[in-house]
Amino acid sequence: MTVIRGHVRTFYQLLANTLLVSVMNFTVWFAVTFWVYLQTRSVFATGVISGIFLVLTAATGIWFGSIVDGHRKKTALQGSAVASLLFYAGASVVYLLTPADEFHDPASVALWALVLLLMAGVIAGNIRTIAMPTLVTLLIEEDTRDRANGLVGTVTGTTFLTTSVISGVLVAFDGMRSVIILAMAALGLAILHLSFVTLPERAAEPHADGHRGGVDIRGTLRIIAGVPGLTALILFSMFNNFLGGVFMALADAYGLSLVSVQAWGLLWGVLSTGMIVGGIVVSRTGLGRHPVRLLLLINVALWTIIIVFPLRASIWWVAVGFYLYMLLMPYAEAAEQTILQKVVPYERQGRVFGLAQSAEQAASPLTAFLISPITQFVFIPFMTDGWGARELGPWFGTGADRGIALVFVLTGIIGVIATTIALASRPYRRLNAETTTEKTIVLA
């Protein structure tokens, strides 16, 4: 298949378009979570919203991947935006027609109808998440795709930085009404802008096994199994996300045990700049000749950070540790995308990216749901008045926050051990050989 060259400007236009849509979709997600809590004061309700997001992301990944592969990429992007717009329009009708007092009841049918419509709009935007790595393959020369993936990471970091601020301000100012109106306006603008962007679409090439369309999980698994070490990489990423669920479940609780909610929210906004900086650095330097080795070494560094920052009950240790974590995340994301772009045929990349997303996202909520009660009923008592408080307390500290910290440390140790084993494994050596780049482009 001939590599299409000279479409960097188109790639930048798509990045800008995706930034606009992603900011609004994630603003809706954050805003509805904040708003539901303010309306109901129910932590359970906000937890259900997070669960809905993770479960739907895991359940739709493979299907969305087949949409990306089975249609023109521009059609998939526009269809994603139109679907989100329609769901938000439906949500606006529910919001305007429902008496405000009804939203205070966490069991309200209207409340959950609104939540489900808004979350469906957010989830429809995941088609873009799957499509963007395939567009890097389509538009960017192979030697510079790692740096393009870094720019995608920059967009992700910018999204998180702006979303937390925008959603909080809008909800405080006008509830969900302004959020929904702004989201619909932004999506309409994105649809209009994208209609003027021309993509050099590729026609899918037929496969020897005759499978081309539909979800075709069997054919996708066959492609993955045919690349030495790729199955092991996806399983490794799934295990990483399983452990990462600990971070997702406990990070806010740990931070809020050290500072006020206002300070914690402001700190997260500052920390999000780490993803932007990291993505920019990747876009300038690339990933080098061995993206698989870099991916695993970055994981060693990330798990080491998880071990170190909780050793002292200090917000400064948290701030430095989290910032380094955010700084390195774009390297890990760009490396994984670059690997898949190298070894998976273009006409199958959407389904493989979608399957990988489903497998990885399915692991996080499982850990998140498990680790919270384990921490609450095992580790916190252990470090408050149990054996851990007596034996470890003199140097590690005691109390609920140190129970959470101990969970972080143990998780980081497991992560370092698992990644070290992966580095020494045969699948790693085979995939590393498959993806090694013979030359690295020197930046101008």
Side-chain angles (χ1 to χ4, degrees), residues 33 80 152 287 320 344 377 390 404 423 428:
T33 303
S80 170
V152 175
L287 301 172
V320 172
V344 177
F377 298 113
R390 293 190 300 273
I404 298 173
L423 274 166
Y428 155 73

Side-chain angles (χ1 to χ4, degrees), residues 300-320:
V300 171
L302 292 175
W303 290 121
T304 301
I305 291 169
I306 297 294
I307 294 172
V308 173
F309 84 79
L311 293 180
R312 290 291 177 269
S314 166
I315 193 61
W316 294 109
W317 282 53
V318 172
V320 172

Side-chain angles (χ1 to χ4, degrees), residues 224-238:
I224 293 172
V227 179
L230 185 55
T231 301
L233 175 66
I234 292 176
L235 291 175
F236 174 77
S237 297
M238 187 175 180

Side-chain angles (χ1 to χ4, degrees), residues 97-163:
L97 294 182
T98 303
D101 290 344
E102 193 169 337
F103 290 131
H104 296 314
D105 180 8
S108 166
V109 173
L111 174 68
W112 288 104
L114 177 66
V115 168
L116 288 174
L117 284 168
L118 292 174
M119 294 309 297
V122 174
I123 294 298
N126 284 349
I127 294 176
R128 282 176 172 265
T129 305
I130 295 170
M132 279 308 296
T134 70
L135 289 167
V136 171
T137 304
L138 177 69
L139 299 171
I140 305 298
E141 299 176 17
E142 183 175 356
D143 290 329
T144 54
R145 284 176 191 161
D146 53 354
R147 288 180 280 175
N149 290 328
L151 288 176
V152 175
T154 302
V155 167
T156 302
T158 304
T159 298
F160 279 104
L161 175 63
T162 56
T163 292

